[in-house]
Amino acid sequence: EFLGSTNTTQSFCSLQVSQVLDHFQTSAEGLSPSESASRREKYGRNDLSKQPKSPWWQRFLLQFKEPLILLLVASAAISLILGQIADAVGIFIAVFIVNIVGFLQELNSEKSLEALKSLTMPRCHVLQ
């Protein structure tokens, strides 16, 4: 059942309304104030949770996981092994610059997204 269940495969949209109401132990009129308070106490508020942000240095390092960046780092390492120090340094500098630009763009995108989120407020009409 829903309350404490881990079964995410059940599709409530395919059930009859009465089946859904029975499943959630409620009625078409909603929950009584005491039942609503009891469930809030037991399961917590029905709020959208925010995921904690990872630190800036971790997000910067994640830029290095891109396949093309890994290929460039590998080619720089091979150049270094073959004694082509100027090529290796050039490739490393280019990779570093690309990662800085990518990181800054991602940071600006996150700020823009946060600004857009502040303009809208998720809401719905609920019967309790």
Side-chain angles (χ1 to χ4, degrees):
E1 71 184 327
F2 164 76
L3 305 174
S5 172
T6 57
N7 183 5
T8 58
T9 59
Q10 181 158 6
S11 176
F12 290 104
C13 63
S14 64
L15 299 175
Q16 298 293 321
V17 172
S18 61
Q19 292 173 305
V20 174
L21 293 173
D22 288 343
H23 180 82
F24 289 108
Q25 302 168 355
T26 187
S27 68
E29 290 77 37
L31 300 173
S32 68
S34 62
E35 180 63 21
S36 176
S38 170
R39 290 189 187 191
R40 189 177 301 115
E41 177 73 26
K42 186 173 183 179
Y43 301 109
R45 294 183 49 83
N46 190 13
D47 289 333
L48 296 174
S49 61
K50 290 186 176 180
Q51 297 296 328
K53 288 185 178 179
S54 55
W56 67 268
W57 56 268
Q58 192 175 37
R59 290 183 291 181
F60 177 73
L61 291 178
L62 284 175
Q63 298 287 323
F64 287 93
K65 287 181 68 176
E66 296 295 324
L68 185 57
I69 298 298
L70 292 175
L71 181 64
L72 287 170
V73 169
S75 65
I78 292 171
S79 293
L80 197 59
I81 291 169
L82 295 176
Q84 303 293 326
I85 295 174
D87 291 343
V89 169
I91 294 171
F92 279 128
I93 289 173
V95 166
F96 191 71
I97 290 171
V98 166
N99 280 348
I100 288 175
V101 169
F103 171 73
L104 292 175
Q105 285 181 332
E106 185 177 317
L107 203 62
N108 288 332
S109 296
E110 287 178 8
K111 287 180 183 178
S112 297
L113 186 59
E114 288 299 320
L116 287 173
K117 282 182 182 179
S118 70
L119 295 176
T120 62
M121 181 63 109
R123 61 179 186 219
C124 65
H125 182 72
V126 177
L127 290 177
Q128 289 188 347

